[in-house]
């Protein structure tokens, strides 16, 4: 993840970058988190990523901005991307405008990111919160195989990537081991995030109902 024009993002203490290996259930957990918070108060949004991957109409697919490699490169050269990185043969980026919400008091932003890209993200968001979503190796393997999207070699490569060490000097602020029911993982995330939200809310804490 490389900032082409490093400039600290205002309100970056209310930015949460979510990282985790393929098969950890990260997307499902993010969707549940957003749904829970939006049901109470609209204080949480997800950054829309730009990816060199076609759009998909499949249920649960990420509503990203699909770009060709040429268009992605043009956006980089124009300084439109606040951050960008590469993974699984694709280019990922987040346009600067996606972070504008952080200039509004009390608003939080979720970024579906990459663990190995965290050092560069710190250049533009030194106070970013890091949430790690993971699962046991056998759970990851079963979930990846169950998706049926890739052959055995590709699944093995994703599993190997999940074992890469954390970048020097960076550790997650909170880790969720998502081996079981989504409800338990969501409760872990909310119980970590609500105190942070309360502390960052100028007018006092925003109350939210416990997930049921």
């Amino acid at each position: 993840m490389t900032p082409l024009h490093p400039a600290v993002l205002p309100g970056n203490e209310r930015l949460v970058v979510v990282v985790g290996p393929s098969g950890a259930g990260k997307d499902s957990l993010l969707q549940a988190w957003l749904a829970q918070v939006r049901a109470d108060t609209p204080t949480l949004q997800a950054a829309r990523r730009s990816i060199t991957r076609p759009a998909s109409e499949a249920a649960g697919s990420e509503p990203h901005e699909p770009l060709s490699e040429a268009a992605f490169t043009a956006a980089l050269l124009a300084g439109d991307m606040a951050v960008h990185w590469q993974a699984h043969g694709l280019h990922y980026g987040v346009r600067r405008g996606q972070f504008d919400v952080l200039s509004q008091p009390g608003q939080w932003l979720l970024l579906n990111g990459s663990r190995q890209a965290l050092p560069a993200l710190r250049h533009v968001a030194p106070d970013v919160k890091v949430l790690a979503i993971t699962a046991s190796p056998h759970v990851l393997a079963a979930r990846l195989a169950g998706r049926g999207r890739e052959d055995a070699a590709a699944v093995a490569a994703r599993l190997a990537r999940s074992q890469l060490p954390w970048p020097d000097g960076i550790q997650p602020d909170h880790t969720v081991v998502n081996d079981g029911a989504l409800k338990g993982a969501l409760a872990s995330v909310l119980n970590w995030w609500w105190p942070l939200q309360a502390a960052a809310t100028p007018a006092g804490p925003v109350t939210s109902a416990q997930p049921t």
Side-chain angles (χ1 to χ4, degrees):
M1 183 182 291
T2 305
L4 282 186
H5 304 275
V8 174
L9 296 168
N12 70 88
E13 70 278 2
R14 286 176 278 107
L15 172 64
V16 179
V17 59
V18 184
V19 299
S22 300
K26 186 170 56 173
D27 291 342
S28 296
L29 185 51
L30 287 179
Q31 291 173 10
W33 185 5
L34 286 164
Q36 174 71 31
V37 174
R38 287 171 177 169
D40 300 322
T41 54
T43 57
L44 185 68
Q45 298 184 36
R48 186 186 187 206
R49 302 191 298 180
S50 303
I51 309 175
T52 54
R53 178 176 66 199
S56 173
E57 297 181 358
S61 296
E62 176 184 358
H64 67 278
E65 178 191 20
L67 293 177
S68 66
E69 291 201 10
F72 194 96
T73 299
L76 288 180
L77 295 176
D80 290 343
M81 298 293 181
V83 290
H84 72 96
W85 67 97
Q86 288 181 269
H88 311 302
L90 299 172
H91 294 275
Y92 295 77
V94 185
R95 293 187 183 272
R96 292 183 175 278
Q98 291 294 305
F99 296 95
D100 289 349
V101 65
L102 293 173
S103 64
Q104 303 173 28
Q107 293 296 312
W108 288 72
L109 186 67
L110 298 182
L111 170 58
N112 189 342
S114 168
R115 180 174 56 177
Q116 298 305 310
L118 290 173
L121 179 60
R122 293 279 192 189
H123 286 291
V124 294
D127 297 318
V128 62
K129 308 298 186 294
V130 180
L131 173 62
I133 310 298
T134 188
S136 301
H138 70 280
V139 174
L140 295 177
R143 288 174 179 168
L144 289 173
R147 295 194 309 191
R149 301 177 189 171
E150 300 161 317
D151 59 23
V155 169
R158 287 186 180 271
L159 290 174
R161 182 180 173 86
S162 73
Q163 301 302 311
L164 292 175
W166 283 85
D168 289 343
I170 295 180
Q171 289 295 320
D173 295 288
H174 185 65
T175 299
V176 176
V177 180
N178 188 23
D179 279 352
L182 182 62
K183 178 180 178 180
L186 177 60
S188 177
V189 169
L190 292 176
N191 289 334
W192 165 72
W193 178 67
W194 277 331
L196 296 176
Q197 181 200 33
T201 302
V206 177
T207 58
S208 299
Q210 291 285 341
T212 58

